[in-house]
Amino acid sequence: MKKLMMAAATFAAILMSNVGHAQTLNITNWTWNPGLVVGDLRRYTPNTPNYLALNGVGIGQFELTGNSSFNMPVDIFSYCLDLYTPMSTGTYTYVTGSTLVPDASRRNMLGALLSHTTTLLANATGNQATIISAATQMAVWEIVYETATTPFNVTGGDFRVANLQVGPGDPNLSASQSLANSYLANTTNGTWQFLSNYQLKYLSGGGVRQSQLFAVAVPEPATWGMMVLGFGLIGRALRRRYKAYKAQLLLR
């Protein structure tokens, strides 16, 4: 029951991000889950201040834990959107997608990507899960930062991921690059569409932390009914437990 209530609280916090006022999250811990691949990142742009050169970067899905502004526990699996700020704990704010990714077509590509790779990652284990996670993160960056868009490719163009260091580098880097490029092809040739049972959520780091992106499954109407019934049963069980405990106190 505790795990069910934790899941319900997290899902409710995500739903509350749709309300009129901005909801914030206090992230107290983050890690790579299921793992990370190490690579070097380059972004070449006509605007020199935007040139980016990062070596030995951890690439993969994050797991963020903490509490919402409604004091609900949250446990979110997300991907980095912002390469120009560090990843850290602290305050994040739910924002609209256009705030962080102004191009609607690219937001749709991100939706097609994450609504498919989320399932692929959930069904993977071990080393393959790490590769899928890293490939998804590479593809997210490519969609957000690439300007030479024909075709999208994480090993070429204005944005790229590579091994530029002396030595063999991460053994999973090449497989992650190839998989990322196949994901990008699927999102551009129509093989993958943005699935209607998923929504994208965007977390802004306020310019001091890496902004985040994640996909959340939207329950079907029948599932909504089951969830409401389940929450009602949980509440009823808790009320019964409280009454029994109160009766025991009165008998003492």
Side-chain angles (χ1 to χ4, degrees):
M1 180 177 289
K2 183 178 180 181
K3 289 183 178 180
L4 181 58
M5 292 180 67
M6 176 73 172
T10 300
F11 186 72
I14 292 171
L15 290 180
M16 287 302 293
S17 67
N18 290 323
V19 298
H21 62 279
Q23 187 204 349
T24 60
L25 302 180
N26 179 33
I27 299 302
T28 56
N29 187 61
W30 69 271
T31 186
W32 282 281
N33 188 339
L36 73 153
V37 170
V38 177
D40 305 319
L41 308 183
R42 295 292 185 272
R43 186 190 182 200
Y44 306 95
T45 66
N47 189 1
T48 303
N50 286 336
Y51 173 78
L52 182 73
L54 298 174
N55 296 327
V57 176
I59 305 169
Q61 178 182 253
F62 290 129
E63 181 177 8
L64 313 178
T65 55
N67 294 280
S68 73
S69 52
F70 303 99
N71 203 30
M72 294 179 179
V74 293
D75 190 348
I76 294 171
F77 294 88
S78 64
Y79 293 96
C80 164
L81 276 177
D82 183 5
L83 287 171
Y84 290 89
T85 52
M87 182 62 193
S88 67
T89 57
T91 301
Y92 290 79
T93 304
Y94 279 106
V95 296
T96 60
S98 59
T99 302
L100 299 177
V101 185
D103 189 325
S105 65
R106 298 210 182 200
R107 294 198 302 274
N108 190 66
M109 288 180 65
L110 290 170
L113 172 70
L114 265 63
S115 62
H116 285 83
T117 60
T118 297
T119 301
L120 294 175
L121 183 55
N123 293 328
T125 58
N127 196 55
Q128 186 59 25
T130 300
I131 292 173
I132 291 173
S133 168
T136 303
Q137 177 63 86
M138 291 179 190
V140 167
W141 285 330
E142 176 72 11
I143 292 170
V144 172
Y145 287 107
E146 185 60 78
T147 58
T149 57
T150 310
F152 282 95
N153 187 327
V154 300
T155 56
D158 295 336
F159 174 83
R160 62 189 67 181
V161 183
N163 173 33
L164 302 175
Q165 308 306 303
V166 176
D170 192 306
N172 289 327
L173 180 61
S174 178
S176 301
Q177 291 168 316
S178 297
L179 193 58
N181 285 336
S182 72
Y183 290 168
L184 290 163
N186 286 342
T187 63
T188 55
N189 64 20
T191 300
W192 282 359
Q193 299 290 327
F194 191 168
L195 299 179
S196 60
N197 60 324
Y198 278 89
Q199 289 182 355
L200 291 187
K201 296 295 180 181
Y202 298 82
L203 290 173
S204 171
V208 293
R209 300 175 188 86
Q210 285 182 2
S211 295
Q212 301 290 306
L213 167 73
F214 63 100
V216 57
V218 180
E220 299 294 333
T223 306
W224 272 112
M226 292 298 293
M227 288 179 63
V228 171
L229 177 61
F231 294 159
L233 292 174
I234 291 172
R236 183 178 180 184
L238 291 175
R239 285 195 299 272
R240 284 183 174 179
R241 183 177 297 179
Y242 173 73
K243 288 180 179 179
Y245 175 71
K246 187 176 180 180
Q248 289 177 1
L249 290 178
L250 293 174
L251 293 173
R252 289 181 180 177

